[in-house]
Short mmCIF file of all heavy atoms in Angstrom, two decimals:
data_model
loop_
_atom_site.label_atom_id
_atom_site.label_comp_id
_atom_site.label_asym_id
_atom_site.label_seq_id
_atom_site.Cartn_x
_atom_site.Cartn_y
_atom_site.Cartn_z
N MET A 1 0.81 -1.17 0.01
CA MET A 1 -0.01 0.00 0.00
C MET A 1 0.86 1.26 0.01
O MET A 1 0.57 2.20 -0.67
CB MET A 1 -0.89 -0.04 1.22
CG MET A 1 -2.07 0.88 1.10
SD MET A 1 -3.09 0.34 -0.27
CE MET A 1 -4.66 0.64 0.39
N GLU A 2 1.93 1.28 0.76
CA GLU A 2 2.79 2.45 0.83
C GLU A 2 3.81 2.51 -0.31
O GLU A 2 4.48 3.54 -0.47
CB GLU A 2 3.55 2.44 2.17
CG GLU A 2 2.59 2.56 3.34
CD GLU A 2 3.29 2.33 4.66
OE1 GLU A 2 4.48 2.01 4.64
OE2 GLU A 2 2.64 2.46 5.69
N SER A 3 3.95 1.48 -1.08
CA SER A 3 4.93 1.51 -2.16
C SER A 3 4.45 2.33 -3.37
O SER A 3 5.25 2.83 -4.14
CB SER A 3 5.29 0.10 -2.61
OG SER A 3 4.16 -0.54 -3.15
N GLY A 4 3.15 2.50 -3.54
CA GLY A 4 2.60 3.27 -4.65
C GLY A 4 3.09 4.70 -4.65
O GLY A 4 3.60 5.18 -5.67
N PRO A 5 2.94 5.45 -3.53
CA PRO A 5 3.42 6.81 -3.51
C PRO A 5 4.94 6.90 -3.67
O PRO A 5 5.44 7.84 -4.29
CB PRO A 5 2.99 7.33 -2.14
CG PRO A 5 1.83 6.51 -1.78
CD PRO A 5 2.09 5.14 -2.36
N ALA A 6 5.66 5.98 -3.11
CA ALA A 6 7.12 5.98 -3.25
C ALA A 6 7.54 5.80 -4.68
O ALA A 6 8.48 6.48 -5.17
CB ALA A 6 7.75 4.91 -2.36
N ILE A 7 6.85 4.93 -5.43
CA ILE A 7 7.17 4.72 -6.83
C ILE A 7 6.83 5.95 -7.61
O ILE A 7 7.64 6.41 -8.46
CB ILE A 7 6.40 3.50 -7.38
CG1 ILE A 7 6.94 2.22 -6.72
CG2 ILE A 7 6.51 3.42 -8.88
CD1 ILE A 7 6.11 1.00 -7.01
N PHE A 8 5.66 6.55 -7.34
CA PHE A 8 5.27 7.77 -8.06
C PHE A 8 6.25 8.89 -7.84
O PHE A 8 6.70 9.55 -8.78
CB PHE A 8 3.87 8.19 -7.59
CG PHE A 8 3.43 9.50 -8.21
CD1 PHE A 8 3.02 9.55 -9.53
CD2 PHE A 8 3.42 10.67 -7.49
CE1 PHE A 8 2.61 10.74 -10.11
CE2 PHE A 8 3.02 11.85 -8.03
CZ PHE A 8 2.61 11.89 -9.37
N VAL A 9 6.61 9.16 -6.59
CA VAL A 9 7.56 10.24 -6.28
C VAL A 9 8.92 9.96 -6.87
O VAL A 9 9.60 10.84 -7.39
CB VAL A 9 7.64 10.50 -4.76
CG1 VAL A 9 8.71 11.46 -4.40
CG2 VAL A 9 6.29 10.96 -4.23
N GLY A 10 9.37 8.71 -6.81
CA GLY A 10 10.65 8.35 -7.38
C GLY A 10 10.71 8.56 -8.90
O GLY A 10 11.67 9.10 -9.41
N VAL A 11 9.61 8.23 -9.58
CA VAL A 11 9.54 8.45 -11.03
C VAL A 11 9.52 9.93 -11.33
O VAL A 11 10.17 10.39 -12.27
CB VAL A 11 8.36 7.70 -11.62
CG1 VAL A 11 8.11 8.07 -13.09
CG2 VAL A 11 8.55 6.19 -11.54
N VAL A 12 8.78 10.72 -10.55
CA VAL A 12 8.72 12.15 -10.78
C VAL A 12 10.12 12.78 -10.61
O VAL A 12 10.54 13.60 -11.42
CB VAL A 12 7.66 12.81 -9.87
CG1 VAL A 12 7.80 14.33 -9.89
CG2 VAL A 12 6.27 12.39 -10.28
N PHE A 13 10.77 12.44 -9.55
CA PHE A 13 12.13 12.96 -9.30
C PHE A 13 13.07 12.52 -10.45
O PHE A 13 13.90 13.31 -10.89
CB PHE A 13 12.70 12.47 -7.96
CG PHE A 13 12.30 13.33 -6.80
CD1 PHE A 13 11.80 12.76 -5.66
CD2 PHE A 13 12.51 14.69 -6.84
CE1 PHE A 13 11.48 13.54 -4.57
CE2 PHE A 13 12.18 15.48 -5.75
CZ PHE A 13 11.65 14.89 -4.60
N ALA A 14 12.96 11.29 -10.88
CA ALA A 14 13.86 10.79 -11.97
C ALA A 14 13.60 11.55 -13.27
O ALA A 14 14.54 11.94 -13.96
CB ALA A 14 13.65 9.30 -12.15
N LEU A 15 12.33 11.75 -13.60
CA LEU A 15 12.00 12.46 -14.83
C LEU A 15 12.47 13.94 -14.79
O LEU A 15 13.04 14.47 -15.73
CB LEU A 15 10.50 12.41 -15.13
CG LEU A 15 9.99 11.03 -15.58
CD1 LEU A 15 8.47 11.10 -15.65
CD2 LEU A 15 10.60 10.65 -16.89
N PHE A 16 12.21 14.56 -13.63
CA PHE A 16 12.64 15.97 -13.48
C PHE A 16 14.17 16.08 -13.52
O PHE A 16 14.71 16.92 -14.23
CB PHE A 16 12.12 16.54 -12.18
CG PHE A 16 12.65 17.92 -11.88
CD1 PHE A 16 12.17 19.01 -12.59
CD2 PHE A 16 13.61 18.13 -10.90
CE1 PHE A 16 12.68 20.30 -12.33
CE2 PHE A 16 14.11 19.41 -10.66
CZ PHE A 16 13.63 20.47 -11.36
N GLY A 17 14.87 15.24 -12.75
CA GLY A 17 16.33 15.30 -12.69
C GLY A 17 16.96 14.99 -14.05
O GLY A 17 17.88 15.65 -14.50
N GLY A 18 16.46 13.93 -14.69
CA GLY A 18 17.00 13.57 -15.99
C GLY A 18 16.72 14.64 -17.06
O GLY A 18 17.61 14.99 -17.85
N GLY A 19 15.52 15.20 -17.06
CA GLY A 19 15.22 16.24 -18.01
C GLY A 19 16.01 17.50 -17.79
O GLY A 19 16.52 18.11 -18.72
N LEU A 20 16.20 17.90 -16.54
CA LEU A 20 16.98 19.08 -16.23
C LEU A 20 18.43 18.89 -16.58
O LEU A 20 19.10 19.80 -17.10
CB LEU A 20 16.83 19.45 -14.74
CG LEU A 20 17.56 20.72 -14.27
CD1 LEU A 20 17.05 21.92 -15.03
CD2 LEU A 20 17.35 20.89 -12.79
N LEU A 21 18.97 17.71 -16.29
CA LEU A 21 20.37 17.46 -16.64
C LEU A 21 20.56 17.43 -18.14
O LEU A 21 21.54 18.01 -18.63
CB LEU A 21 20.81 16.11 -15.98
CG LEU A 21 22.28 15.84 -15.98
CD1 LEU A 21 23.05 16.93 -15.20
CD2 LEU A 21 22.57 14.48 -15.38
N LEU A 22 19.65 16.82 -18.84
CA LEU A 22 19.77 16.78 -20.33
C LEU A 22 19.68 18.17 -20.91
O LEU A 22 20.42 18.57 -21.79
CB LEU A 22 18.66 15.89 -20.88
CG LEU A 22 18.60 15.78 -22.38
CD1 LEU A 22 19.85 15.03 -22.92
CD2 LEU A 22 17.35 15.01 -22.80
N TRP A 23 18.74 19.00 -20.38
CA TRP A 23 18.58 20.35 -20.85
C TRP A 23 19.83 21.21 -20.58
O TRP A 23 20.27 21.97 -21.42
CB TRP A 23 17.35 20.96 -20.21
CG TRP A 23 17.08 22.37 -20.61
CD1 TRP A 23 16.46 22.77 -21.76
CD2 TRP A 23 17.41 23.55 -19.90
NE1 TRP A 23 16.38 24.13 -21.79
CE2 TRP A 23 16.93 24.65 -20.66
CE3 TRP A 23 18.00 23.79 -18.67
CZ2 TRP A 23 17.07 25.97 -20.24
CZ3 TRP A 23 18.15 25.09 -18.26
CH2 TRP A 23 17.69 26.17 -19.03
N THR A 24 20.36 21.05 -19.38
CA THR A 24 21.56 21.82 -19.01
C THR A 24 22.75 21.45 -19.90
O THR A 24 23.47 22.32 -20.39
CB THR A 24 21.93 21.57 -17.52
OG1 THR A 24 20.80 21.91 -16.73
CG2 THR A 24 23.11 22.36 -17.09
N VAL A 25 22.96 20.17 -20.12
CA VAL A 25 24.06 19.72 -20.97
C VAL A 25 23.91 20.22 -22.39
O VAL A 25 24.84 20.67 -23.02
CB VAL A 25 24.23 18.19 -20.91
CG1 VAL A 25 25.14 17.67 -21.96
CG2 VAL A 25 24.70 17.75 -19.53
N THR A 26 22.65 20.17 -22.90
CA THR A 26 22.38 20.63 -24.26
C THR A 26 22.68 22.13 -24.39
O THR A 26 23.28 22.56 -25.35
CB THR A 26 20.93 20.34 -24.63
OG1 THR A 26 20.69 18.94 -24.51
CG2 THR A 26 20.63 20.81 -26.05
N ARG A 27 22.24 22.91 -23.42
CA ARG A 27 22.49 24.35 -23.44
C ARG A 27 23.99 24.66 -23.37
O ARG A 27 24.48 25.56 -24.08
CB ARG A 27 21.79 25.07 -22.29
CG ARG A 27 20.29 24.94 -22.31
CD ARG A 27 19.64 25.73 -23.41
NE ARG A 27 19.71 27.15 -23.07
CZ ARG A 27 19.09 28.09 -23.76
NH1 ARG A 27 18.36 27.78 -24.81
NH2 ARG A 27 19.20 29.34 -23.44
N LEU A 28 24.72 23.94 -22.54
CA LEU A 28 26.16 24.16 -22.39
C LEU A 28 26.90 23.77 -23.67
O LEU A 28 27.85 24.50 -24.06
CB LEU A 28 26.72 23.40 -21.21
CG LEU A 28 26.28 23.95 -19.84
CD1 LEU A 28 26.80 23.04 -18.73
CD2 LEU A 28 26.79 25.37 -19.63
N ARG A 29 26.55 22.68 -24.31
CA ARG A 29 27.21 22.30 -25.52
C ARG A 29 26.98 23.26 -26.68
O ARG A 29 27.89 23.44 -27.51
CB ARG A 29 26.72 20.90 -25.99
CG ARG A 29 27.35 19.78 -25.20
CD ARG A 29 27.03 18.46 -25.81
NE ARG A 29 27.76 17.41 -25.11
CZ ARG A 29 27.76 16.16 -25.49
NH1 ARG A 29 27.07 15.80 -26.56
NH2 ARG A 29 28.42 15.27 -24.82
N ARG A 30 25.83 23.87 -26.72
CA ARG A 30 25.55 24.86 -27.74
C ARG A 30 26.14 26.24 -27.44
O ARG A 30 26.09 27.11 -28.27
CB ARG A 30 24.02 25.02 -27.93
CG ARG A 30 23.38 23.82 -28.53
CD ARG A 30 21.93 24.05 -28.70
NE ARG A 30 21.26 22.90 -29.28
CZ ARG A 30 19.96 22.85 -29.47
NH1 ARG A 30 19.18 23.83 -29.12
NH2 ARG A 30 19.46 21.74 -30.01
N GLY A 31 26.64 26.42 -26.22
CA GLY A 31 27.20 27.68 -25.84
C GLY A 31 26.14 28.71 -25.45
O GLY A 31 26.41 29.89 -25.41
N GLU A 32 24.93 28.25 -25.20
CA GLU A 32 23.84 29.12 -24.84
C GLU A 32 23.76 29.25 -23.31
O GLU A 32 24.18 28.32 -22.59
CB GLU A 32 22.52 28.57 -25.39
CG GLU A 32 22.49 28.50 -26.92
CD GLU A 32 21.29 27.80 -27.43
OE1 GLU A 32 20.50 27.25 -26.62
OE2 GLU A 32 21.08 27.80 -28.65
N PRO A 33 23.19 30.32 -22.82
CA PRO A 33 23.10 30.49 -21.35
C PRO A 33 22.07 29.52 -20.77
O PRO A 33 21.06 29.22 -21.38
CB PRO A 33 22.67 31.93 -21.17
CG PRO A 33 22.00 32.28 -22.42
CD PRO A 33 22.70 31.51 -23.50
N VAL A 34 22.37 29.04 -19.59
CA VAL A 34 21.42 28.15 -18.90
C VAL A 34 20.28 28.98 -18.31
O VAL A 34 19.16 28.58 -18.33
CB VAL A 34 22.13 27.34 -17.82
CG1 VAL A 34 21.20 26.46 -17.03
CG2 VAL A 34 23.24 26.46 -18.45
N ALA A 35 20.61 30.13 -17.79
CA ALA A 35 19.59 31.05 -17.27
C ALA A 35 19.97 32.47 -17.70
O ALA A 35 21.15 32.84 -17.65
CB ALA A 35 19.54 30.96 -15.75
N GLU A 36 19.02 33.24 -18.12
CA GLU A 36 19.23 34.62 -18.52
C GLU A 36 19.56 35.50 -17.33
O GLU A 36 18.89 35.44 -16.32
CB GLU A 36 18.05 35.15 -19.29
CG GLU A 36 17.75 34.47 -20.56
CD GLU A 36 18.79 34.74 -21.64
OE1 GLU A 36 19.41 35.80 -21.63
OE2 GLU A 36 19.00 33.86 -22.51
N GLY A 37 20.57 36.36 -17.49
CA GLY A 37 20.87 37.37 -16.47
C GLY A 37 21.68 36.82 -15.27
O GLY A 37 21.84 37.50 -14.28
N VAL A 38 22.15 35.61 -15.37
CA VAL A 38 22.97 35.01 -14.29
C VAL A 38 24.30 34.59 -14.88
O VAL A 38 24.38 34.21 -16.05
CB VAL A 38 22.21 33.76 -13.71
CG1 VAL A 38 22.98 33.21 -12.53
CG2 VAL A 38 20.83 34.14 -13.28
N ARG A 39 25.35 34.64 -14.06
CA ARG A 39 26.66 34.21 -14.52
C ARG A 39 26.55 32.76 -15.01
O ARG A 39 25.94 31.90 -14.38
CB ARG A 39 27.67 34.30 -13.39
CG ARG A 39 27.95 35.72 -12.98
CD ARG A 39 29.14 35.77 -12.02
NE ARG A 39 29.13 34.71 -11.03
CZ ARG A 39 29.08 34.89 -9.73
NH1 ARG A 39 29.02 36.08 -9.23
NH2 ARG A 39 29.08 33.83 -8.89
N PRO A 40 27.17 32.48 -16.18
CA PRO A 40 27.07 31.11 -16.78
C PRO A 40 27.57 29.99 -15.84
O PRO A 40 26.91 28.94 -15.76
CB PRO A 40 27.92 31.21 -18.03
CG PRO A 40 27.99 32.66 -18.37
CD PRO A 40 27.88 33.40 -17.04
N ALA A 41 28.67 30.21 -15.18
CA ALA A 41 29.20 29.15 -14.28
C ALA A 41 28.24 28.91 -13.13
O ALA A 41 28.00 27.74 -12.74
CB ALA A 41 30.57 29.53 -13.79
N LEU A 42 27.69 29.94 -12.58
CA LEU A 42 26.79 29.79 -11.43
C LEU A 42 25.51 29.10 -11.84
O LEU A 42 25.04 28.17 -11.15
CB LEU A 42 26.46 31.17 -10.83
CG LEU A 42 25.50 31.17 -9.64
CD1 LEU A 42 26.12 30.42 -8.46
CD2 LEU A 42 25.14 32.59 -9.28
N SER A 43 24.93 29.52 -12.96
CA SER A 43 23.66 28.90 -13.39
C SER A 43 23.84 27.45 -13.80
O SER A 43 23.00 26.61 -13.48
CB SER A 43 23.04 29.68 -14.51
OG SER A 43 23.88 29.67 -15.65
N ALA A 44 24.95 27.13 -14.43
CA ALA A 44 25.24 25.76 -14.83
C ALA A 44 25.45 24.83 -13.62
O ALA A 44 24.93 23.74 -13.54
CB ALA A 44 26.42 25.66 -15.78
N SER A 45 26.22 25.37 -12.66
CA SER A 45 26.48 24.53 -11.47
C SER A 45 25.21 24.36 -10.61
O SER A 45 24.98 23.27 -10.07
CB SER A 45 27.62 25.13 -10.64
OG SER A 45 27.26 26.40 -10.16
N LEU A 46 24.41 25.40 -10.51
CA LEU A 46 23.19 25.30 -9.72
C LEU A 46 22.19 24.33 -10.40
O LEU A 46 21.57 23.49 -9.74
CB LEU A 46 22.53 26.69 -9.57
CG LEU A 46 21.30 26.74 -8.69
CD1 LEU A 46 21.62 26.31 -7.26
CD2 LEU A 46 20.73 28.15 -8.67
N ALA A 47 22.04 24.45 -11.72
CA ALA A 47 21.13 23.51 -12.42
C ALA A 47 21.63 22.08 -12.37
O ALA A 47 20.84 21.15 -12.15
CB ALA A 47 20.97 23.97 -13.87
N SER A 48 22.94 21.88 -12.49
CA SER A 48 23.49 20.54 -12.43
C SER A 48 23.34 19.97 -11.03
O SER A 48 23.00 18.79 -10.87
CB SER A 48 24.95 20.55 -12.84
OG SER A 48 25.09 21.00 -14.15
N GLY A 49 23.59 20.79 -10.04
CA GLY A 49 23.43 20.34 -8.65
C GLY A 49 22.00 19.94 -8.32
O GLY A 49 21.76 18.94 -7.65
N THR A 50 21.06 20.72 -8.81
CA THR A 50 19.66 20.41 -8.60
C THR A 50 19.25 19.14 -9.30
O THR A 50 18.51 18.32 -8.76
CB THR A 50 18.78 21.60 -9.10
OG1 THR A 50 19.16 22.79 -8.43
CG2 THR A 50 17.30 21.32 -8.87
N ALA A 51 19.76 18.93 -10.53
CA ALA A 51 19.44 17.71 -11.26
C ALA A 51 20.01 16.49 -10.58
O ALA A 51 19.30 15.47 -10.45
CB ALA A 51 19.97 17.83 -12.69
N VAL A 52 21.24 16.56 -10.13
CA VAL A 52 21.83 15.43 -9.46
C VAL A 52 21.12 15.13 -8.14
O VAL A 52 20.91 13.96 -7.78
CB VAL A 52 23.35 15.65 -9.27
CG1 VAL A 52 23.99 14.62 -8.35
CG2 VAL A 52 24.07 15.68 -10.61
N THR A 53 20.74 16.16 -7.41
CA THR A 53 20.02 15.97 -6.17
C THR A 53 18.70 15.29 -6.41
O THR A 53 18.29 14.40 -5.69
CB THR A 53 19.77 17.32 -5.48
OG1 THR A 53 21.05 17.96 -5.24
CG2 THR A 53 19.02 17.18 -4.18
N ALA A 54 17.99 15.71 -7.47
CA ALA A 54 16.72 15.04 -7.82
C ALA A 54 16.93 13.58 -8.19
O ALA A 54 16.13 12.72 -7.82
CB ALA A 54 16.04 15.78 -8.96
N LEU A 55 17.99 13.27 -8.90
CA LEU A 55 18.28 11.89 -9.27
C LEU A 55 18.63 11.05 -8.04
O LEU A 55 18.26 9.86 -7.94
CB LEU A 55 19.38 11.82 -10.33
CG LEU A 55 18.97 12.35 -11.71
CD1 LEU A 55 20.22 12.41 -12.61
CD2 LEU A 55 17.89 11.48 -12.31
N VAL A 56 19.37 11.64 -7.11
CA VAL A 56 19.69 10.93 -5.86
C VAL A 56 18.43 10.66 -5.07
O VAL A 56 18.24 9.58 -4.51
CB VAL A 56 20.75 11.70 -5.05
CG1 VAL A 56 20.87 11.18 -3.66
CG2 VAL A 56 22.08 11.69 -5.76
N LEU A 57 17.57 11.66 -4.99
CA LEU A 57 16.28 11.46 -4.28
C LEU A 57 15.42 10.41 -4.96
O LEU A 57 14.72 9.61 -4.30
CB LEU A 57 15.53 12.78 -4.20
CG LEU A 57 16.06 13.78 -3.16
CD1 LEU A 57 15.34 15.12 -3.32
CD2 LEU A 57 15.88 13.26 -1.76
N ALA A 58 15.46 10.36 -6.29
CA ALA A 58 14.71 9.34 -7.00
C ALA A 58 15.22 7.96 -6.66
O ALA A 58 14.45 7.02 -6.42
CB ALA A 58 14.81 9.59 -8.52
N ALA A 59 16.55 7.82 -6.65
CA ALA A 59 17.14 6.52 -6.33
C ALA A 59 16.78 6.13 -4.88
O ALA A 59 16.45 4.96 -4.60
CB ALA A 59 18.65 6.58 -6.48
N TRP A 60 16.80 7.09 -3.99
CA TRP A 60 16.49 6.80 -2.58
C TRP A 60 15.01 6.38 -2.46
O TRP A 60 14.73 5.40 -1.75
CB TRP A 60 16.75 8.03 -1.71
CG TRP A 60 16.45 7.78 -0.27
CD1 TRP A 60 17.23 7.12 0.61
CD2 TRP A 60 15.27 8.20 0.44
NE1 TRP A 60 16.62 7.10 1.85
CE2 TRP A 60 15.45 7.75 1.78
CE3 TRP A 60 14.14 8.90 0.09
CZ2 TRP A 60 14.47 8.00 2.71
CZ3 TRP A 60 13.22 9.17 1.04
CH2 TRP A 60 13.34 8.70 2.37
N CYS A 61 14.11 7.09 -3.14
CA CYS A 61 12.68 6.71 -3.07
C CYS A 61 12.42 5.32 -3.66
O CYS A 61 11.64 4.54 -3.11
CB CYS A 61 11.85 7.74 -3.81
SG CYS A 61 11.64 9.31 -2.97
N LEU A 62 13.08 5.03 -4.76
CA LEU A 62 12.86 3.76 -5.42
C LEU A 62 13.50 2.58 -4.67
O LEU A 62 13.07 1.45 -4.87
CB LEU A 62 13.32 3.81 -6.85
CG LEU A 62 12.49 4.75 -7.75
CD1 LEU A 62 13.11 4.87 -9.13
CD2 LEU A 62 11.06 4.31 -7.85
N THR A 63 14.51 2.82 -3.83
CA THR A 63 15.05 1.77 -3.05
C THR A 63 14.22 1.47 -1.81
O THR A 63 14.40 0.46 -1.15
CB THR A 63 16.51 2.06 -2.61
OG1 THR A 63 16.53 3.29 -1.86
CG2 THR A 63 17.41 2.15 -3.81
N ARG A 64 13.28 2.37 -1.46
CA ARG A 64 12.43 2.20 -0.28
C ARG A 64 11.18 1.42 -0.62
O ARG A 64 10.34 1.21 0.25
CB ARG A 64 12.02 3.54 0.29
CG ARG A 64 13.18 4.37 0.73
CD ARG A 64 13.82 3.75 1.90
NE ARG A 64 15.09 4.46 2.20
CZ ARG A 64 16.04 3.94 2.92
NH1 ARG A 64 15.91 2.72 3.39
NH2 ARG A 64 17.17 4.59 3.19
N VAL A 65 11.04 0.98 -1.87
CA VAL A 65 9.82 0.26 -2.29
C VAL A 65 9.79 -1.11 -1.66
O VAL A 65 10.68 -1.83 -1.54
CB VAL A 65 9.76 0.15 -3.82
CG1 VAL A 65 8.61 -0.71 -4.26
CG2 VAL A 65 9.63 1.56 -4.36
#
């Protein structure tokens, strides 16, 4: 009964983290800014850190099933 919400949240975190990481890498490879009006290094590191954190949370949620 409790595994349903854990699976849902784990999948949501995985999709968000994977999508954000893919988007950040694509923007960096093209030489485009990750966020407008923010230093490129700061925005890239913040977006990457958020993506990795979401993927770690997804793994943690899915191991609790």
Side-chain angles (χ1 to χ4, degrees):
M1 199 62 142
E2 296 170 356
S3 65
I7 292 170
F8 176 75
V9 171
V11 169
V12 168
F13 274 131
L15 288 174
F16 174 74
L20 182 60
L21 193 60
L22 179 67
W23 181 79
T24 303
V25 168
T26 302
R27 298 287 288 187
L28 289 174
R29 282 190 175 186
R30 291 181 179 176
E32 298 173 352
V34 176
E36 294 291 332
V38 184
R39 293 189 320 241
L42 178 65
S43 62
S45 63
L46 185 61
S48 299
T50 303
V52 169
T53 301
L55 290 173
V56 167
L57 285 172
W60 182 77
C61 287
L62 293 173
T63 58
R64 300 292 171 200
V65 174

